[in-house]
Amino acid sequence: MTIASLSTYVPPRVLTNADLEKLVDTSNEWILQRTGIHERHIVDPGVTTSDLAKEAATEAISRAGLTPDDIGLIVVGTVTPDMLFPSTACLLQNKIGASRAWGFDLSAACSAFTYSLTTATQIVAAGGTDHALVVGADVMSSIIDYRDRTTCVLFGDGAGAVVVSAADSQSANVILDFEHEIDGSGSHALFMPAGGSARPASHETVDQRMHYVKQDGGTVFKFAVRKTEEVARRLLERNGLTPESLDLFVSHQANRRIIMSATEKLGVPQEKVIINIERFGNTTAATIPLALNDAMLSGRLKKGNLVLLASVGAGFTVGAVLLRWGI
Ligand code: ACO
């Protein structure tokens, strides 16, 4: 299997730290120092996750030299679907005109891209289809409480898409290995309390602002540092590799300090770590493709490079994918 193409999209509107200073009791200095974020992109009212996904997906399919009709499977990793059902994959399928595809949404919060990539790769490897579209897309601004300074400074909106294709040469095995975990004992550290079967929407849930992200930041921070390092180390060791042998380490972008701390513990040289959180914030399912895209554009990611993707997200979900870059 190979990643045949990559494309990303963020909405044009920018929300800066200075803008947030006007909404909540915060400061540019605090946000930059504690998170590394300078600005993030957010949608205009009415723009949905499938709209962002469409922009990234259409371009990814074209860059792969394909048409929408060549796509046999669509996996959309998201925690902000347009609606609970139908799936965003269905809405996207219709918007891009992928007339021969089946597909589904995958809920794994910040690990949605690593999980979706793995899932699609397994289906392509099993002969289920020749070309799968993998999308990580989130409109986090739709579930963020812009009165809560502990969460509203962190998140942004965006989308990224790759096409995973069955390759026919002996160098086909571009996605080499993966290692994923879930740990539901951490479910209350990062969650949205209402809107599901546990607490259906009511006047009370709206009044109590329960349709927004709630987070115990310290618990998530410590878990993310520990697990990013642990899962990456296990994956490298299983493949007889050292952190130094990597060309690029692409972590989920939740907090600059999480990435620095985890990669220092792992022993990846900092010049091999991509951080672009300053421009996008945490876009949940989209951070890894956005970081891959920046790495490609800046010449830090080239065909044949050995790359490790790693993510920790709400759930908790933990994921890592080892691959040789094919574009
Ligand atoms: N502006 C100013 N002050 C703030 C802000 C803000 N935006 N947010 C919190 N503070 C205050 C707190 O109220 C606290 O004040 P107090 O000491 O008077 O109580 C003080 O700053 C320190 O708060 P901490 O929570 O200890 O700050 P910390 O350095 O841990 O940073 C943060 C908080 C940024 C949320 C951090 O814990 C974090 O990044 N956690 C990881 C969570 C995450 O990234 N989740 C996203 C998705 S999950 C994932 O992808 C891993």
Side-chain angles (χ1 to χ4, degrees):
M1 285 74 50
T2 188
I3 291 181
S5 65
L6 163 72
S7 180
T8 62
Y9 179 77
V10 290
R13 183 170 157 208
V14 173
L15 184 70
T16 65
N17 291 350
D19 296 329
L20 286 163
E21 284 177 351
K22 293 175 201 142
L23 294 176
V24 289
D25 179 17
T26 191
S27 66
N28 179 45
E29 294 70 34
W30 193 96
I31 301 171
L32 264 181
Q33 202 177 66
R34 306 308 293 163
T35 72
I37 302 166
H38 181 64
E39 61 188 30
R40 65 293 285 143
H41 291 248
I42 64 166
V43 298
D44 286 322
V47 177
T48 66
T49 296
S50 67
D51 292 331
L52 304 191
K54 180 189 167 192
E55 299 294 334
T58 304
E59 184 60 24
I61 293 167
S62 153
R63 286 183 189 176
L66 301 172
T67 68
D69 285 340
D70 295 318
I71 301 296
L73 169 69
I74 300 173
V75 184
V76 178
T78 187
V79 79
T80 51
D82 288 22
M83 52 193 94
L84 271 180
F85 71 90
S87 71
T88 307
C90 289
L91 304 174
L92 179 63
Q93 178 271 339
N94 188 45
K95 282 185 180 178
I96 64 175
S99 61
R100 294 168 57 226
W102 68 290
F104 50 88
D105 289 1
L106 192 153
S107 172
C110 300
S111 296
F113 187 77
T114 53
Y115 284 23
S116 298
L117 183 61
T118 300
T119 303
T121 302
Q122 299 303 304
I123 292 171
V124 173
T129 179
D130 283 343
H131 305 289
L133 176 69
V134 176
V135 181
D138 272 299
V139 175
M140 293 306 291
S141 60
S142 66
I143 56 166
I144 290 301
D145 186 350
Y146 286 96
R147 292 190 202 167
D148 177 2
R149 70 175 181 173
T150 68
T151 52
C152 75
V153 300
L154 301 174
F155 294 94
D157 303 337
V162 296
V163 172
V164 174
S165 295
D168 44 17
S169 72
Q170 55 279 46
S171 63
N173 207 8
V174 169
I175 294 172
L176 302 167
D177 200 359
F178 67 91
E179 174 85 18
H180 299 327
E181 291 176 16
I182 55 173
D183 179 359
S185 69
S187 59
H188 280 82
L190 183 50
F191 69 123
M192 192 170 91
S197 58
R199 286 199 186 91
S202 66
H203 284 295
E204 191 193 349
T205 61
V206 172
D207 289 346
Q208 293 180 10
R209 308 184 78 72
M210 293 168 82
H211 296 269
Y212 294 121
V213 171
K214 309 288 177 194
Q215 171 173 256
D216 170 0
T219 300
V220 176
F221 190 101
K222 286 182 215 126
F223 187 86
V225 171
R226 179 163 64 84
K227 280 295 178 178
T228 301
E229 190 229 339
E230 197 181 296
V231 76
R233 186 178 299 285
R234 220 181 302 141
L235 190 52
L236 288 171
E237 283 176 3
R238 190 164 73 216
N239 287 275
L241 296 166
T242 61
E244 293 81 23
S245 58
L246 289 172
D247 293 303
L248 195 68
F249 186 95
V250 184
S251 172
H252 166 58
Q253 310 278 310
N255 186 317
R256 184 184 183 86
R257 291 184 297 134
I258 293 176
I259 302 170
M260 298 292 282
S261 184
T263 50
E264 265 166 35
K265 282 179 206 281
L266 185 62
V268 190
Q270 287 306 312
E271 67 274 12
K272 296 185 174 182
V273 179
I274 178 105
I275 299 182
N276 68 349
I277 194 171
E278 64 280 359
R279 286 166 39 230
F280 302 116
N282 181 351
T283 52
T284 303
T287 66
I288 289 179
L290 281 167
L292 285 168
N293 190 52
D294 272 0
M296 271 186 81
L297 290 176
S298 61
R300 293 179 66 190
L301 175 58
K302 301 184 193 75
K303 189 168 183 168
N305 279 177
L306 188 62
V307 182
L308 185 63
L309 315 179
S311 60
V312 173
F316 290 120
T317 56
V318 182
V321 178
L322 182 68
L323 54 94
R324 208 163 273 290
W325 193 243
I327 307 172

